[in-house]
Amino acid sequence: MRALRPCSSPPYLAPVPQSSTSTLVAFPRQTRPRRRLQPFVLASAPAGQRGRRRSDDDYHATVRSLNSRGRHKPRKSLGQHYMLNSSVNEELVNVAGVGEGDVVLEIGPGTGSLTNVLINAGATVVAVEKDPQMAMLVQERFGSTDRLMVLQEDFTKCHIHLHLSSFLEKNHMERTPFAKVVSNLPFNISTEVIKQLLPMGDIFSDVVLLLQDETASRLADCSLRTSEYRPINIFVNFYSADPEYKFKVERTNFFPQPNVDAAVIRFKLKPTTEYPKVSSRRSFFSMVSSAFNGKRKMLRKSLQHICPSGEIEAALSSIGQPVTARPEELTLDDFVSLHNLIVKV
């Protein structure tokens, strides 16, 4: 893995554990007044534009930033689609209510267009970037600020809870005990990232993501007794309160243009004290997964590896469900009650 250039003075983020393979770049705490950042223009800009700053990140700025790293297009293997419309980034930040002093996690900053808006809103950004070239590009673009830290690693494998909880405790607990997540996610890892983020209600208050439109719609509004009602909906409702589909983003706003539209969704995470009361979260989600593995089967059949069918029928009756109930007929509260009746931990 290509290491990023370290800063010259001690970073104020907790060091990465010796067992971690990630490379952390943190800019030192500084006391000088914060400068408002503007999108950058590379030296390769046309003669008439040299010395001028762009007001937005657009197609041409994105292509030039990639070319500066010896790249001619985003990497398809990483699901990279860069945002070309700065107004979409501004709306993402507005939805999350990002303001002065907030700590924000950004996953996959790419060329830094959303990072720029977050920093201008007054946030300190922890950016996790798997692509070493993009990590270096973002570091160089914002090298003059003390409000950015770059963690070069695959987010799905990094110790983000450790990094953020340590940082909040040491540096920002007086202002806010929670961080926020604002990200334009690669579509191919969105579900995996959601599963990793939502159980972190002890360090995150809000998670605002730009996802594939179909995924955002399904997560925000999925009714009972439909084919779209799945275990992920139970998971989302367990850890967040009323996920909101905010607005659609046309595919033409991205480079390269994906085959589908996107949308912004907001998850307001529950504090850990408000999680449904189950004896074991692991056994609860295992039961839910088993229930949906045989979606058209009655629960008394799909869950009989947990306990006899007769006990399942009795439990269903006690929570007001018919003995012939199927998984798509049960709410989160129903599954919680059923688990606590039939699963012995």
Side-chain angles (χ1 to χ4, degrees):
M1 178 178 291
R2 180 179 178 181
L4 300 185
R5 175 167 51 86
C7 57
S8 58
S9 55
Y12 62 96
L13 184 68
V16 179
Q18 292 299 315
S19 60
S20 174
T21 59
S22 62
T23 300
L24 182 66
V25 174
F27 291 95
R29 188 190 301 276
Q30 301 179 26
T31 58
R32 67 178 184 273
R34 178 172 61 88
R35 269 196 313 119
R36 182 172 176 82
L37 297 173
Q38 295 295 330
F40 70 135
V41 174
L42 299 175
S44 58
Q49 295 182 4
R50 290 176 187 170
R52 272 171 41 194
R53 291 185 179 274
R54 285 187 174 274
S55 59
D56 297 325
D57 284 85
D58 63 6
Y59 172 84
H60 299 289
T62 299
V63 171
R64 283 199 302 276
S65 66
L66 291 173
N67 287 343
S68 74
R69 296 280 120 204
R71 293 263 291 279
H72 301 289
K73 61 182 179 179
R75 293 172 63 180
K76 186 176 181 180
S77 62
L78 298 181
Q80 293 175 338
H81 295 277
Y82 298 131
M83 174 56 62
L84 305 178
N85 188 341
S86 63
S87 65
V88 174
N89 289 327
E90 290 165 2
E91 283 302 312
L92 268 168
V93 174
N94 289 337
V95 167
V98 175
E100 190 72 33
D102 281 340
V103 177
V104 177
L105 169 67
E106 183 185 3
I107 303 163
T111 60
S113 60
L114 175 58
T115 313
N116 185 70
V117 180
L118 289 167
I119 292 175
N120 282 339
T124 295
V125 180
V126 178
V128 182
E129 176 58 66
K130 182 177 181 180
D131 186 334
Q133 289 184 318
M134 293 296 99
M136 183 68 77
L137 187 152
V138 172
Q139 180 197 355
E140 292 176 353
R141 175 175 181 178
F142 300 104
S144 62
T145 181
D146 62 339
R147 291 179 177 261
L148 174 67
M149 291 167 286
V150 179
L151 181 63
Q152 184 200 311
E153 192 172 353
D154 181 345
F155 177 79
T156 62
K157 299 176 182 178
C158 74
H159 306 288
I160 197 62
H161 191 282
L162 174 63
H163 297 314
L164 264 296
S165 58
S166 177
F167 175 70
L168 287 168
E169 182 180 354
K170 292 183 178 180
N171 299 279
H172 284 260
M173 192 61 78
E174 316 85 48
R175 285 181 283 183
T176 172
F178 298 104
K180 297 178 179 180
V181 183
V182 184
S183 291
N184 172 4
L185 288 182
F187 294 163
N188 59 341
I189 63 167
S190 59
T191 300
E192 190 173 358
V193 169
I194 288 169
K195 288 181 177 179
Q196 191 168 344
L197 288 173
L198 265 54
M200 297 187 192
D202 58 330
I203 60 170
F204 294 122
S205 60
D206 296 86
V207 176
V208 177
L209 304 174
L210 193 151
L211 311 172
Q212 184 175 336
D213 182 54
E214 181 182 353
T215 301
S217 297
R218 187 170 63 244
L219 294 178
D221 184 19
C222 188
S223 303
L224 293 174
R225 299 180 179 84
T226 67
S227 60
E228 296 302 317
Y229 191 58
R230 302 174 185 178
I232 188 64
N233 299 104
I234 303 298
F235 182 90
V236 166
N237 292 331
F238 190 99
Y239 290 113
S240 68
D242 300 322
E244 298 178 82
Y245 180 104
K246 303 304 291 188
F247 60 90
K248 186 175 181 178
V249 179
E250 299 290 340
R251 66 193 75 180
T252 53
N253 288 289
F254 297 91
F255 170 72
Q257 183 173 305
N259 296 323
V260 294
D261 295 323
V264 172
I265 186 170
R266 179 184 183 184
F267 303 96
K268 188 74 175 176
L269 299 196
K270 297 176 183 177
T272 54
T273 55
E274 294 182 12
Y275 292 165
K277 303 302 181 184
V278 293
S279 53
S280 165
R281 276 182 264 167
R282 183 171 184 175
S283 67
F284 172 74
F285 288 113
S286 176
M287 184 200 77
V288 171
S289 179
S290 295
F292 280 89
N293 279 342
K295 191 166 185 180
R296 296 308 304 162
K297 290 183 179 180
M298 292 180 234
L299 292 168
R300 64 186 182 188
K301 295 290 186 182
S302 58
L303 299 180
Q304 60 184 350
H305 65 286
I306 297 176
C307 67
S309 296
E311 292 185 28
I312 297 173
E313 291 178 353
L316 287 168
S317 295
S318 70
I319 65 173
Q321 292 290 337
V323 297
T324 57
R326 292 178 169 82
E328 66 268 24
E329 299 173 36
L330 271 63
T331 65
L332 168 63
D333 289 341
D334 291 333
F335 273 113
V336 169
S337 298
L338 181 63
H339 171 270
N340 292 341
L341 289 170
I342 71 172
V343 177
K344 315 300 180 186
V345 179

